[in-house]
Amino acid sequence: MDFNGLEPPEDIYEFKCKWDQLDTALGIIADNGSEFDENLERLRIHESRSALDERTFDLLRMKAYMVANIYRAQGDLKSYNGAYKRIKKLENARYGIEYKENPTFEGLFKWRLNELLFYYSDYGTNPAKAVIKSIWVILIFALFYLLFPSEWDISSKSMILANLKNAKGSNGFNWKAALKALMAFLVSCANAITLSLNSFITLGFGHIPTKGMARYFTIIQGFIGWFLLTIFSVSLISQILN
């Protein structure tokens, strides 16, 4: 299938259709019946076949980038991001097929990395999503660190439990013991979040203020944080430049 007939309109600034007016593929729900819109519809119809035909895929990707660049020339960043994200999904589908046809570590890495880029930042088009995902990573690791002793804690976990037990004494509810347990627990939560945040945004501590398995998890989280912060930085710079 040849898509060479798809050419941009003579005046790209007359192309008024926003990306959210397009359907889930690369076609357009046209209302003016122009030749450009009809050719975009041809791209939509044959998109599902492109993954099976390398030549069709290459032509489809080239023309799809042309549509995205029209939005970019118009300064419509929202529509450009939508078109670009759809193109990257199409490319990743192709990566998956290439890996299944020829399983290699490089092919697997490229395929899964693109899936991660979509999950974390919508292929670099959504830095805010990257921030939200990073916060979730920090909180999940903090919950894990909460189970382990920290050198910053003012009370051990056993002391917190003891104060909770004392709060329910035979002489009535002991507010003082309950308050001590609550304060110690809040401090432990703050320390766990601080430890997680520090592990996420730095490459190393020197001395790690925790014990047991938590020490090894700080190293793992440090690698994850370095990787995800790099993606976030690239996403943010990409949006600023666009």
Side-chain angles (χ1 to χ4, degrees):
M1 179 60 64
D2 191 350
F3 297 116
N4 287 331
L6 177 57
E7 298 295 341
E10 293 184 4
D11 186 354
I12 62 173
Y13 299 103
E14 292 299 320
F15 182 64
K16 302 298 185 181
C17 187
K18 303 296 184 181
W19 178 256
D20 56 12
Q21 295 175 284
L22 302 178
D23 63 11
T24 55
L26 290 172
I28 186 172
I29 304 175
D31 56 4
N32 56 14
S34 70
E35 182 179 355
F36 184 73
D37 295 338
E38 291 173 1
N39 283 320
L40 278 176
E41 180 66 14
R42 289 175 65 201
L43 293 186
R44 183 193 69 79
I45 293 171
H46 294 282
E47 181 186 11
S48 60
R49 306 177 190 175
S50 64
L52 303 176
D53 182 347
E54 185 173 357
R55 178 174 178 273
T56 300
F57 169 79
D58 290 338
L59 287 171
L60 176 58
R61 180 174 55 183
M62 178 183 67
K63 296 302 182 178
Y65 269 111
M66 183 188 72
V67 175
N69 286 332
I70 290 177
Y71 289 127
R72 187 173 187 176
Q74 292 176 344
D76 187 352
L77 183 59
K78 181 179 179 181
S79 291
Y80 171 79
N81 284 341
Y84 178 77
K85 183 169 65 174
R86 187 65 191 88
I87 292 167
K88 298 304 290 184
K89 283 185 177 180
L90 179 66
E91 290 179 344
N92 198 51
R94 180 66 189 175
Y95 293 151
I97 290 175
E98 288 176 350
Y99 171 73
K100 291 174 183 177
E101 292 176 349
N102 181 28
T104 62
F105 174 77
E106 182 180 353
L108 178 64
F109 183 80
K110 181 168 61 174
W111 179 28
R112 296 306 185 185
L113 176 61
N114 272 270
E115 289 185 343
L116 176 62
L117 290 174
F118 168 70
Y119 176 77
Y120 184 66
S121 65
D122 288 343
Y123 297 112
T125 64
N126 192 352
K129 183 178 181 181
V131 172
I132 294 172
K133 298 298 183 184
S134 296
I135 291 173
W136 275 111
V137 171
I138 291 170
L139 291 178
I140 290 172
F141 272 89
L143 183 62
F144 176 81
Y145 296 141
L146 190 60
L147 303 176
F148 290 84
S150 169
E151 295 178 8
W152 299 335
D153 290 335
I154 57 175
S155 299
S156 65
K157 304 298 186 292
S158 59
M159 290 182 64
I160 295 176
L161 294 175
N163 281 322
L164 284 175
K165 186 176 180 180
N166 292 334
K168 297 180 180 180
S170 57
N171 297 326
F173 191 79
N174 188 335
W175 288 101
K176 185 176 181 181
L179 184 60
K180 285 183 178 181
L182 177 61
M183 289 298 297
F185 177 73
L186 291 177
V187 170
S188 292
C189 289
N191 289 336
I193 293 174
T194 301
L195 175 60
S196 182
L197 180 62
N198 201 11
S199 299
F200 188 85
I201 64 177
T202 62
L203 291 178
F205 278 91
H207 175 66
I208 302 175
T210 190
K211 300 177 181 179
M213 289 182 60
R215 286 179 177 267
Y216 301 100
F217 273 80
T218 58
I219 298 173
I220 295 173
Q221 188 183 9
F223 175 78
I224 294 174
W226 165 78
F227 184 74
L228 295 184
L229 286 175
T230 301
I231 297 176
F232 166 74
S233 300
V234 172
S235 301
L236 183 61
I237 294 172
S238 174
Q239 292 303 290
I240 293 174
L241 293 179
N242 283 332

